[in-house]
Amino acid sequence: MHHRVNDSGDNAPRRRAGWRLVRRIVGLIGIAAVLHACHSPQGPADRFDLLVAGGTVYDGHGGPGRRVDVAISEDRIVAVGNFWKKSAKTVIDASGMVVAPGFINTLSWAQESLLRDGRGLSDLKQGVTLEIFGEGLSLGPVSDTMRIAMQASVPDIAIPDGLTSFADFMLWLESRGVAVNIASLVGATTIRQNVVGDAFRTLSPAELARMQDLVRESMRDGALGVGSALIYPPGSYATTEELIALAQVASEFGGVYASHLRSEGSELEAAVAELLTIADAANINAHIYHLKVSGSQDWHRMDAILDRVELERAMGKSITADIYPYTASATGMTALLPSWIKRGPEQDWIGKLAQPEIRQRLIAEANDPNVSDNRWLAIGAGNIVPVRFVKPELRQYAGLSVKDIAAARKAGEFETVLDLIMEDQSRIDTIYHSMSEVNLAKKLRKPWVAVESDERSYSEESPGTGNIAHPRAFGAFARILAKYVRRDGLLTLSDAIRRMTQLPATIFGLDRRGAIKVGHYADLVIFDPATIQDHATFNDPMRFASGVAHVIVNGELALVD
C-alpha cells in the first residue's frame, strides 16, 4: 500500500510528503509456530490486533523508559498503557526487553539490494524500519538515456517499460515487495543528468528552469527534499547557484537540503560554508551527510566545524548531521583522483589515465603536499583498501591495502591506483581508514547528530559469504547501542534511541513516525539492551547483528525471534 503522508502531526508546517510501504515478507519462516505460545484466544473481547506487553518503552523523545504496553490495530498505535493480554488477538511478550520506535536510516543505499531481495535483513535485524535514499542519486526521474544506462547496470532486473518519474520508480520498488518503509530525497545529480547528461558546463537559464520543474514534480510525488553529493561527478559539476535554485523549489514544499559536502579534508570549512550559503539563500533546513574529517593532519578541523554548526543553531537555523559509528569510510577508489580528470562520462576519462602526459601529471599532483585537499597523502596507501572489483582476475586483491598490492605487483603505489582503475574499468569500492575515534565521540555528543549506514541492505542467507561490504551495512545501529551506550557509556540508552528515531523523523519531516505515540504508525523494534551486539568487522563484514527479538513495520510482524 502506498500513499502520500498527510500535512499534519508534530512536524507541521515543515511536513514533507513521504512514502510508506506495508508488506509482509512472503515465505518468512516460522511466524505462526513462533507466535503460537503467545497467541491469545480470539473472540468478541479482542480490542486490538497486536499487543506488545511487559517491555520497557522508550518513546523516542529522549525521556526515561516506562513499563507499559503498546496496543496496535491495523497499522497504528492505538493505546499505550496497561492491558489484559486477552484484549489482543496476538501478544508479544516483551518482558526484560526494550520497546522503541523503529530505527530510521537517514542515508541508505539499499535501492538496488532491495530490488534483488526485499527483506533487507542486514538492516531489519538491527531494528531499522525505514530506509531513506537520495544522496545525489535517486531512482527517478530518469530520461531515456539514463534509463538505458540504469538497465545496463542491473542486467538481472527487468525495469518495466514506461517508468520515468520519481513516483514511478518508488512505486515499482514498493510493488516488488520490501520488508521496511522506504522514502527518498530527489538526487541533485539525477536531476542534472536528466537535463545535460554528464556534461561539464554551465547551465543555460532554460536548462536550470527545467531542472527546477523536475524537482517540483518529484516533490509533488513525495520526495523529502533535495540531496547532493558534491565530490562525485557529475554531481560535483554543480555550482552553488545551481544548488540554491534546486533547494528553493524543495523549500516551497517544506523540504530539506541534504549534502555530502565538497570536501572532507583541508577544504572542509569552505564546504560547510557553502552548505550554509545554500540554506540561507533557499530558506531551507540543511543536513550534512556523514559529517567527518579524513586524514590525520586535518582532524583538528572538527572542533571548528562543530562550533560553527552550534553557532548557526543558536541563531535559530536548522542545521543537522548524521554519522556512521566507524573510523573508516567507503567510496570509490576514483575519489582519490582530482576533479579536473573526472569530467564527462566515466568510461571516457578512465580511458585517459593511460595517456603519458595525464598519467605523469596525476602522479606528480598525488605526491605533492602543496596540492589542496590531497586525499592520497592525507590518508596514505596503507590505509586504502579496495574491497570490490568487477573483473574476476582482480578479486585476489580485495581486502588488501594499496601498499600491499603495489608491493605484490612491484609497482609504485599511486601508479597501482591508476592501473587498477584502468584494468577494472570501474570506480572500485574502497575502504579508507582515515578518521579519528576522538572526533567520532565529539560528534556523538552533539544532540543534533543522527545515525546512518551509508550502505546497501543485504540478505545473504550465509553471512560471511558473497560481496565484501563495509561492516556498517550489518552493524551501524547495533554498534551505537552495544559500544557507545552499553560499553563506553558515551550516550544514554534513551538518547541513542532518540537519535535513531525522533531526531531523523524531525529532520526529514516524517509525519507520525519516529515515536511511540497514539496515532503514530506502528513501527517498533523490541530488543535486549544487555545483548544487542554488532558482529561485523572489516575482516568479516557480512555478519548479522544479534539481540533484536522482533520488528514490527506498519503494524505487521516483519521479524520474529
Side-chain angles (χ1 to χ4, degrees), residues 313-356:
R313 289 176 58 82
M315 295 168 61
K317 299 175 184 178
S318 179
I319 312 295
T320 54
D322 56 38
I323 56 98
Y324 44 81
Y326 298 86
T327 56
S329 63
T331 187
M333 186 176 284
T334 50
L336 293 168
L337 304 181
S339 59
W340 61 261
I341 188 63
K342 295 182 288 189
R343 293 175 182 172
E346 183 177 87
Q347 295 308 309
D348 289 354
W349 59 257
I350 286 179
K352 295 178 182 178
L353 300 181
Q355 297 178 13

Side-chain angles (χ1 to χ4, degrees), residues 516-530:
I516 295 178
K517 184 177 180 181
V518 172
H520 275 44
Y521 293 102
D523 298 335
L524 302 176
V525 54
I526 302 158
F527 66 92
D528 184 343

Side-chain angles (χ1 to χ4, degrees), residues 332-338 341-342 346-347 349-354 359 362 376 384 386 388-391 394 397 402 405 409 413-430 432:
M333 186 176 284
T334 50
L336 293 168
L337 304 181
I341 188 63
K342 295 182 288 189
E346 183 177 87
Q347 295 308 309
W349 59 257
I350 286 179
K352 295 178 182 178
L353 300 181
R359 186 179 177 90
L362 288 168
W376 170 249
I384 300 170
R388 186 180 286 111
F389 292 92
V390 173
K391 301 295 177 62
L394 295 176
Y397 300 125
V402 167
I405 297 170
R409 291 166 65 113
E413 291 174 347
F414 197 74
E415 290 87 338
T416 295
V417 168
L418 300 178
D419 291 341
L420 290 173
I421 294 170
M422 286 190 295
E423 291 169 31
D424 204 51
Q425 287 291 296
S426 82
R427 70 195 292 268
I428 306 178
D429 289 353
T430 300
Y432 296 85

Side-chain angles (χ1 to χ4, degrees), residues 247-308:
Q248 284 173 333
V249 175
S251 180
E252 294 171 11
F253 295 82
V256 67
Y257 173 70
S259 183
H260 181 136
L261 303 176
R262 286 194 196 271
S263 172
E264 296 168 348
S266 61
E267 302 297 320
L268 180 59
E269 289 92 340
V272 171
E274 180 186 39
L275 176 96
L276 298 174
T277 296
I278 294 166
D280 286 344
N283 189 29
I284 196 169
N285 297 334
H287 182 73
I288 302 171
Y289 283 137
H290 34 65
L291 175 62
K292 59 180 176 288
V293 183
S294 294
S296 57
Q297 76 273 27
D298 290 309
W299 287 347
H300 67 280
R301 300 181 188 278
M302 181 55 68
D303 290 337
I305 296 304
L306 295 176
D307 289 347
R308 178 68 188 276

Side-chain angles (χ1 to χ4, degrees), residues 31-47:
I31 281 186
V34 171
L35 289 180
H36 179 75
C38 59
H39 208 80
S40 296
Q42 298 184 27
D46 291 339
R47 297 171 53 198

Side-chain angles (χ1 to χ4, degrees), residues 187-204:
T189 302
T190 297
I191 294 295
R192 188 176 224 275
Q193 287 178 312
N194 266 269
V195 177
V196 295
D198 293 335
F200 175 74
R201 64 174 176 80
T202 303
L203 302 174
S204 71

Side-chain angles (χ1 to χ4, degrees), residues 439-459:
N439 278 346
L440 179 52
K442 289 177 180 177
K443 291 181 288 186
L444 279 174
R445 289 190 181 99
K446 298 300 180 182
W448 40 268
V449 173
V451 181
E452 50 146 278
S453 73
D454 193 20
E455 259 289 357
R456 302 171 179 90
S457 183
Y458 297 89
S459 296

